[in-house]
């Protein structure tokens, strides 16, 4: 396992849609392990392959000490509840700043595990927020794009100021 450098906002690679994973081999398992190690070092609770400059549809979440980390390959939202929740979000690519984002309270996703087996998972609360946040990132939609223009501009100025000091 290796801690990889994290791509920082406003790197244009964060705005590119990631490509589907088509090869399920040891290299994919190594990538998932590196993502987990990099996320823990950041620190964070979720990370995608694009966060380390690899344009593949891979997400690692570590939200529950009992369940442990989970890897989602080629995840897609297949259902979302009409109910919405506000949750404070941030990114390993933009450390030190966060804001509230409106998300669906519950989602169902389809994905593959690192061996290529098709899975589905229904989630609510924090896990549902993380699924939506990371799938947005895989689609090239950085989380601050979900904010109003005014909030986004303020947050970017705050991040730039923090980055200079």
């Amino acid at each position: 396992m290796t801690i990889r450098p994290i791509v920082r906002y406003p790197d244009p690679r964060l705005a590119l849609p990631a490509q589907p994973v088509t090869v399920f081999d040891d290299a994919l398992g190594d990538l998932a392990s590196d993502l987990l190690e990099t996320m823990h070092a950041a620190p964070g609770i979720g990370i995608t392959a694009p966060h380390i400059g690899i344009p593949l549809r891979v997400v690692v979440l570590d939200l529950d000490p009992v369940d442990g980390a989970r890897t989602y390959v080629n995840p897609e939202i297949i259902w979302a509840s009409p109910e919405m929740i506000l949750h404070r979000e941030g990114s390993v690519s933009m450390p030190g700043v966060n804001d509230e984002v409106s998300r669906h309270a519950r989602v169902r996703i389809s994905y593959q595990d690192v061996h290529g087996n098709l899975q589905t998972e229904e989630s609510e609360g924090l896990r549902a927020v993380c699924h939506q946040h990371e799938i947005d990132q895989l689609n090239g939609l950085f989380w601050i794009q979900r904010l109003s223009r005014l909030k986004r501009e303020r947050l970017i100025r705050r991040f730039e100021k923090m980055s200079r000091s």
Side-chain angles (χ1 to χ4, degrees):
M1 293 195 309
T2 305
I3 297 173
R4 307 265 197 109
I6 293 175
V7 173
R8 297 287 184 206
Y9 179 86
D11 192 301
R13 291 175 290 178
L14 294 170
L16 298 174
Q19 299 304 305
V21 172
T22 56
V23 178
F24 294 82
D25 58 6
D26 290 346
L28 179 61
D30 292 345
L31 173 60
S33 295
D34 289 356
L35 283 168
L36 180 63
E37 191 80 9
T38 303
M39 178 186 69
H40 284 156
I45 58 172
I47 194 168
T48 66
H51 283 119
I52 62 169
I54 298 172
L56 289 175
R57 296 186 71 81
V58 181
V59 172
V60 173
L61 297 180
D62 194 358
L63 306 175
D64 185 341
V66 175
D67 286 347
R70 295 188 196 169
T71 300
Y72 302 88
V73 181
N74 301 324
E76 298 292 339
I77 295 170
I78 56 175
W79 173 84
S81 70
E83 305 87 37
M84 304 297 283
I85 57 173
L86 279 176
H87 200 279
R88 193 158 283 281
E89 297 184 26
S91 174
V92 295
S93 289
M94 197 180 206
V97 294
N98 55 63
D99 209 328
E100 289 201 330
V101 177
S102 180
R103 299 280 187 182
H104 296 278
R106 296 186 327 277
V107 295
R108 184 177 309 118
I109 65 167
S110 69
Y111 67 98
Q112 290 166 283
D113 62 22
V114 292
H115 306 292
N117 301 310
L118 196 56
Q119 311 278 334
T120 60
E121 180 177 311
E122 194 160 321
S123 59
E124 62 184 352
L126 177 60
R127 188 172 296 275
V129 166
C130 289
H131 284 315
Q132 293 167 83
H133 175 105
E134 303 303 358
I135 290 170
D136 271 358
Q137 182 60 65
L138 294 178
N139 293 334
L141 184 70
F142 197 64
W143 74 277
I144 63 172
Q145 292 172 270
R146 295 262 180 208
L147 301 174
S148 69
R149 192 177 65 119
L150 180 64
K151 280 186 165 186
R152 184 171 53 248
E153 288 171 356
R154 282 184 185 154
L155 194 124
I156 290 169
R157 279 196 302 274
R158 196 170 358 141
F159 179 67
E160 288 170 343
K161 186 177 178 183
M162 288 172 47
S163 297
R164 284 193 299 269
S165 48

